[in-house]
């Protein structure tokens, strides 16, 4: 037996549980989410292929599973994609003008 809690042997400075994961939109460069809970720097992050959750791993020795909030999952793109029919019309117009 024996041993110590991972949070008591971390080799980095910082207040307990104050390390956080911050999410930024790749295109718009805006922060859209923050998750706290690790006791050491977060070294690994992987998003589930279904897009509903992610796992984070840190120097505290823990791997945590997180689920995205409904507000994130319902978030709409501020610049919506062009409708396929509109895109086809635009392409036809370009071809006609050549």
């Amino acid at each position: 037996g024996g041993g110590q809690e991972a949070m008591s042997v971390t080799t980095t400075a910082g207040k307990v549980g104050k390390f956080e994961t911050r999410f930024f939109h790749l295109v718009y460069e805006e922060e859209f989410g923050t998750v706290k809970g690790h006791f050491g720097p977060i070294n690994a992050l992987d998003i589930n292929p279904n897009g509903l959750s992610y796992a984070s791993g840190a120097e505290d020795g823990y791997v945590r599973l997180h689920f995205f909030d409904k507000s994130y999952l319902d978030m709409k793109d501020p610049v919506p994609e062009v409708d396929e029919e509109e895109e086809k019309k635009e392409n036809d117009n370009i071809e006609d003008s050549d």
Side-chain angles (χ1 to χ4, degrees):
Q4 291 179 285
E5 288 293 319
M7 68 180 155
S8 67
V9 296
T10 186
T11 59
T12 57
K15 294 182 179 177
V16 174
K18 295 294 183 183
F19 290 88
E20 63 186 14
T21 304
R22 297 171 64 196
F23 290 94
F24 289 85
H25 191 284
L26 183 63
V27 174
Y28 305 115
E29 299 178 354
E30 296 174 352
E31 183 176 330
F32 64 86
T34 303
V35 174
K36 295 181 181 180
H38 281 288
F39 298 103
I42 297 167
N43 297 327
L45 185 74
D46 195 24
I47 297 176
N48 187 323
N50 71 12
L52 301 176
S53 61
Y54 68 96
S56 59
E59 285 186 22
D60 60 9
Y62 291 101
V63 173
R64 296 182 182 273
L65 181 60
H66 311 271
F67 291 90
F68 289 111
D69 292 337
K70 183 170 177 8
S71 61
Y72 166 76
L73 298 174
D74 293 341
M75 186 171 49
K76 301 291 183 208
D77 188 349
V79 182
E81 298 297 323
V82 175
D83 185 43
E84 287 182 25
E85 283 186 36
E86 288 180 31
E87 187 175 350
K88 185 175 185 238
K89 286 178 188 177
E90 288 176 13
N91 289 338
D92 288 344
N93 290 338
I94 293 171
E95 290 172 7
D96 291 342
S97 65
D98 290 337

